[in-house]
Amino acid sequence: MTRHVVIVGAGHGGVSLASALRSQHFDGSITLLSDEGDLPYHRPPLSKAFICSDTPEVEEKLLLQSRDFYDQQRIDLRLGVRVSALVPDARQLILDDGSRLAYDDLVLATGARARPLPLPGCDLQGVVRLRTLAQARDLRQRLAQSNAVVVVGGGFIGLELAATARQLGKQVTVLETAGRIMERSVSPQVSAYVTAKHREKGIDIELSSTVQAFLGEHGRVSAVRGASGEWPADLVIVGAGALPNSELAEAAGIACANGILVDNHLRTSAPRVYAIGDCVACENRYADNARLRLESIQNANDQARIVAQQILGQDARYEALPWFWSDQGEIKLQMVGLSLGCTDYVTRGDPGRGRFSVFHYRDEILIAVDSVNQPLDHVLSRKLLAAGISPDKTQVADTGFDLKSLLA
């Protein structure tokens, strides 16, 4: 009997899983469902190169695979299809047209959505969020017609969009609730450096700024009101984090808590149902086994490979070292590890020259590294953390010491 694998969600994780199954000689049926009308695409360029140009080449470069790929690999890609319900006991999905789709193995790769800010004026024209290609097309058009842009949120997506808007000559203000940008993601040293560089480019970064309302005229946004003032805006981009798309799983009785709960085999609480990517909360060995939801392409792709092995009967566990990146104008940030419980930082290199790394320690144990315009440091740091090697802090601070020698 031919097995049928159904994947709900055609982002990086869903496409990677379908590809991995075929590359490992899975000969059953694969159905890949997407609620979007576009072929599956790369998301990182949406906040950068994509909104700077509207040429057909830019959209073509976004594609994860050509249409022919899915046909050649016998992957039944169905676009514009929404799943209205999951019935685990019957191993069936109910689609939005009322039809039913049976599966032998189901993988939820439903991703996440941009977190809304339910404030007065949030429904005004010109208050937007970015997560999908359709939203990026809309933002690109609005950005071309705008002058004063306010970005709510000083995380990766907000700062990437701020840098892009500034490159396009817009007046840009970033409003961040916390006392520093990227507070949950990078060291204070990196936050300070990136803040200074963005301000040098003319981006106004307002810290400890809580947004209270969006003001408008004739149905369109005209300003943002905060606890400490008002900022004129004809375009507001809300980058206030993301929420997991776990509603389908929750309604089916699958255990969820800030994401779909999975074990280290990426199995949910329902038989023969797995989950991967941004929608998943999983214990992580690099965070003392705390249950985390990681939003990164690397995480989605790594989890996809594990589930492919599981479906093929192999005993695979998710134990990958997390790493991330963010390109903000001329600033290239690369991060590896998780800094939960950090007690000390050591800087390697000279921030004044714009090329340095910050090593995060929990007591004497290296747990994470942030690199600014230092790709070789990033690669080396990934090797050190994967090998469980913690360099002495004096060795890290001494740029004359070859950290690579510790790997010999």
Side-chain angles (χ1 to χ4, degrees), residues 181-197:
I181 59 173
M182 302 180 290
E183 183 179 53
R184 294 183 297 173
S185 306
V186 300
S187 65
Q189 296 91 325
V190 171
S191 290
Y193 173 84
V194 175
T195 297
K197 287 300 177 182

Side-chain angles (χ1 to χ4, degrees), residues 54-178:
D54 60 356
T55 63
E57 292 78 14
V58 171
E59 290 225 6
E60 188 173 335
K61 288 180 180 178
L62 281 182
L63 297 182
L64 290 171
Q65 300 287 352
S66 68
R67 180 75 222 199
D68 289 344
F69 168 84
Y70 302 98
D71 296 334
Q72 293 165 0
Q73 295 296 315
R74 294 182 295 116
I75 298 169
D76 181 13
L77 173 63
R78 304 187 192 180
L79 301 176
V81 174
R82 292 184 179 274
V83 179
S84 59
L86 160 60
V87 188
D89 290 344
R91 289 192 195 169
Q92 289 184 342
L93 296 173
I94 301 176
L95 306 184
D96 57 355
D97 64 0
S99 64
R100 291 180 175 249
L101 180 64
Y103 64 83
D104 294 297
D105 296 279
L106 175 67
V107 184
L108 301 175
T110 48
R113 63 190 181 279
R115 183 189 299 273
L117 279 184
L119 298 173
C122 64
D123 56 350
L124 288 166
Q125 282 291 314
V127 178
V128 302
R129 301 189 297 273
L130 176 62
R131 190 76 185 188
T132 67
L133 178 53
Q135 290 172 332
R137 291 190 185 107
D138 177 67
L139 174 58
R140 182 172 59 189
Q141 182 177 358
R142 292 179 185 278
L143 194 56
Q145 300 168 352
S146 69
N147 293 302
V149 179
V150 171
V151 178
V152 180
F156 293 147
I157 188 69
L159 294 172
E160 289 170 3
L161 287 166
T164 302
R166 186 60 190 148
Q167 287 175 340
L168 293 172
K170 310 303 178 181
Q171 174 187 328
V172 182
T173 301
V174 176
L175 304 179
E176 170 55 47
T177 302

Side-chain angles (χ1 to χ4, degrees), residues 223-278:
V224 178
R225 176 182 294 159
S228 57
E230 289 186 8
W231 294 268
D234 49 20
L235 177 63
V236 175
I237 306 171
V238 177
L243 297 173
N245 294 325
S246 55
E247 292 83 359
L248 180 65
E250 291 173 17
I254 293 174
C256 296
N258 185 33
I260 303 171
L261 302 183
V262 296
D263 62 15
N264 59 8
H265 300 284
L266 301 169
R267 299 174 299 201
T268 71
S269 60
R272 306 290 286 274
V273 179
Y274 303 86
I276 61 175
D278 294 1

Side-chain angles (χ1 to χ4, degrees), residues 212-346:
Q212 297 177 329
F214 304 109
L215 309 181
E217 297 176 0
H218 310 296
R220 295 189 58 84
V221 70
S222 60
V224 178
R225 176 182 294 159
S228 57
E230 289 186 8
W231 294 268
D234 49 20
L235 177 63
V236 175
I237 306 171
V238 177
L243 297 173
N245 294 325
S246 55
E247 292 83 359
L248 180 65
E250 291 173 17
I254 293 174
C256 296
N258 185 33
I260 303 171
L261 302 183
V262 296
D263 62 15
N264 59 8
H265 300 284
L266 301 169
R267 299 174 299 201
T268 71
S269 60
R272 306 290 286 274
V273 179
Y274 303 86
I276 61 175
D278 294 1
C279 65
V280 163
C282 181
E283 290 184 359
N284 195 294
R285 60 176 292 197
Y286 292 96
D288 281 345
N289 293 322
R291 190 176 287 279
L292 302 176
R293 191 171 60 82
L294 299 179
E295 298 175 19
S296 77
I297 293 171
Q298 169 263 339
N299 180 65
N301 290 342
D302 284 341
Q303 291 184 342
R305 286 190 288 270
I306 297 301
V307 170
Q309 292 174 279
Q310 285 290 124
I311 290 173
L312 291 166
Q314 303 167 23
D315 183 22
R317 297 168 182 266
Y318 177 64
E319 299 179 325
L321 173 66
W323 54 273
F324 316 86
W325 77 91
S326 176
D327 294 331
Q328 302 174 24
E330 299 172 359
I331 304 169
K332 185 175 186 64
L333 296 180
Q334 293 172 290
M335 297 134 286
V336 58
L338 298 169
S339 59
L340 299 176
C342 176
T343 59
D344 195 13
Y345 303 98
V346 179

